[in-house]
Amino acid sequence: MIKRNQDKVFINNKIIYKVETDTGWSVVIMPDAILIDNYHHGYVHIHPDPINHDKKIRIKDFNQDDIHFIIYNHIFQNKKLIIKKLIKELR
Amino acid sequence: MMISLVKEQTGLEFIKEMENQYKSIEEAENTFKRNPTNMVLYVDLENWKHYLKNPNEKIKRTTSLVTDELILGEIELQLLNTIKRDNPKSISELARLSGKDISVVQPKVKNLVKNGLIQLKKVYKNSKTPHLNYDHITIDV
């Protein structure tokens, strides 16, 4: 039985990773190194600054698929990642 | 168009892939300490630790390419089918089994490798064996 899924989407020079882990789930946007997850705290948050991993912003309580879909649409429509705009879309 | 490539593997196979990529878990952890913005390595490490405890657990890994270019034409699909069905030992054998000239097959194989759909493994001294990287391929338009 498959217990975990790991998805990787290549779109407009970005890669969106969707990963399930023991402590929760995460969505990663590379090469920008933006992490959205529900690890440790139980609530969904975004780490908008890859240099300062401790910085996190709580976002709306979407599930992993919703987050993935919002990010996918954001990159598809803007042809790039606009982090401030994405945070607004996620809050 | 979105082309999705699906691979199902056990935890043990996942660990082997990680070892090929990062050598050892200690080395991967050191690399992450040096480059803490590598979020892919961060989640790979978490999964690696999980599968060390659960080597028989199954994982479904999907890679999707959003592209306007049609990278899979009739010949490419035929080559993928031949690789999966007949396990050719070399590109020349793949050309022979699919009834195509080697000059047609070679650039197609090169593109399939470039797009990550197949791998060329050096099993025999003078030839590389084409190997399918995925169990299923789906195309959404």
Side-chain angles (χ1 to χ4, degrees):
Chain A
M1 194 181 90
I2 291 167
K3 286 204 170 178
R4 283 187 175 200
N5 290 301
Q6 191 175 321
D7 292 293
K8 188 162 69 166
V9 176
F10 290 81
I11 176 172
N12 290 334
N13 299 318
K14 305 285 181 199
I15 311 173
I16 312 169
Y17 288 84
K18 196 167 85 168
V19 185
E20 293 163 33
T21 68
D22 274 350
T23 47
W25 53 257
S26 66
V27 178
V28 178
I29 311 165
M30 292 300 283
D32 307 79
I34 302 298
L35 172 69
I36 296 149
D37 66 270
N38 67 349
Y39 295 165
H40 311 304
H41 308 284
Y43 61 82
V44 189
H45 55 273
I46 181 167
H47 297 264
D49 182 358
I51 307 295
N52 179 9
H53 185 71
D54 289 338
K55 183 178 177 183
K56 49 183 167 286
I57 298 169
R58 189 169 182 167
I59 58 173
K60 202 173 164 185
D61 199 20
F62 291 114
N63 66 35
Q64 190 190 24
D65 287 336
D66 292 338
I67 300 269
H68 189 262
F69 186 69
I70 290 167
I71 294 169
Y72 175 89
N73 272 339
H74 175 92
I75 295 172
F76 187 77
Q77 282 167 5
N78 296 292
K79 308 265 183 269
K80 60 181 176 180
L81 177 68
I82 308 165
I83 188 68
K84 284 185 180 171
K85 193 175 173 188
L86 177 67
I87 292 170
K88 274 188 187 169
E89 287 166 4
L90 290 168
R91 289 186 92 176
Chain B
M1 173 190 349
M2 187 189 274
I3 300 171
S4 297
L5 315 161
V6 184
K7 176 162 62 175
E8 288 171 16
Q9 59 184 181
T10 62
L12 204 58
E13 287 165 337
F14 177 84
I15 291 168
K16 275 188 186 163
E17 203 178 303
M18 292 295 105
E19 284 171 349
N20 283 338
Q21 202 173 334
Y22 304 111
K23 290 184 184 167
S24 69
I25 199 160
E26 292 78 17
E27 197 146 327
E29 279 174 333
N30 286 334
T31 306
F32 182 66
K33 275 180 201 159
R34 285 194 301 274
N35 183 11
T37 62
N38 189 344
M39 290 299 134
V40 175
L41 179 51
Y42 176 72
V43 290
D44 275 348
L45 270 168
E46 211 280 342
N47 266 326
W48 197 342
K49 287 171 192 164
H50 173 82
Y51 289 114
L52 280 172
K53 287 182 214 156
N54 307 281
N56 296 320
E57 198 178 294
K58 291 227 171 141
I59 181 168
K60 184 179 172 188
R61 302 176 80 191
T62 307
T63 301
S64 303
L65 313 163
V66 179
T67 176
D68 292 329
E69 292 169 39
L70 188 64
I71 58 168
L72 288 176
E74 195 183 330
I75 297 176
E76 286 84 354
L77 290 173
Q78 193 183 345
L79 294 176
L80 291 174
N81 268 330
T82 307
I83 293 168
K84 186 166 185 175
R85 191 186 56 223
D86 300 327
N87 296 312
K89 291 179 178 60
S90 63
I91 299 172
S92 333
E93 192 180 347
L94 171 64
R96 188 176 54 78
L97 289 169
S98 50
K100 301 268 182 268
D101 195 89
I102 185 85
S103 62
V104 175
V105 171
Q106 222 147 21
K108 301 284 182 196
V109 166
K110 203 175 163 187
N111 271 338
L112 291 171
V113 171
K114 193 178 140 200
N115 286 301
L117 275 81
I118 62 169
Q119 263 184 308
L120 290 176
K121 289 186 177 172
K122 199 164 184 177
V123 180
Y124 302 96
K125 203 176 178 183
N126 295 319
S127 63
K128 287 182 176 172
T129 302
H131 179 79
L132 206 56
N133 282 343
Y134 297 93
D135 300 316
H136 314 283
I137 298 174
T138 58
I139 299 174
D140 295 301
V141 286

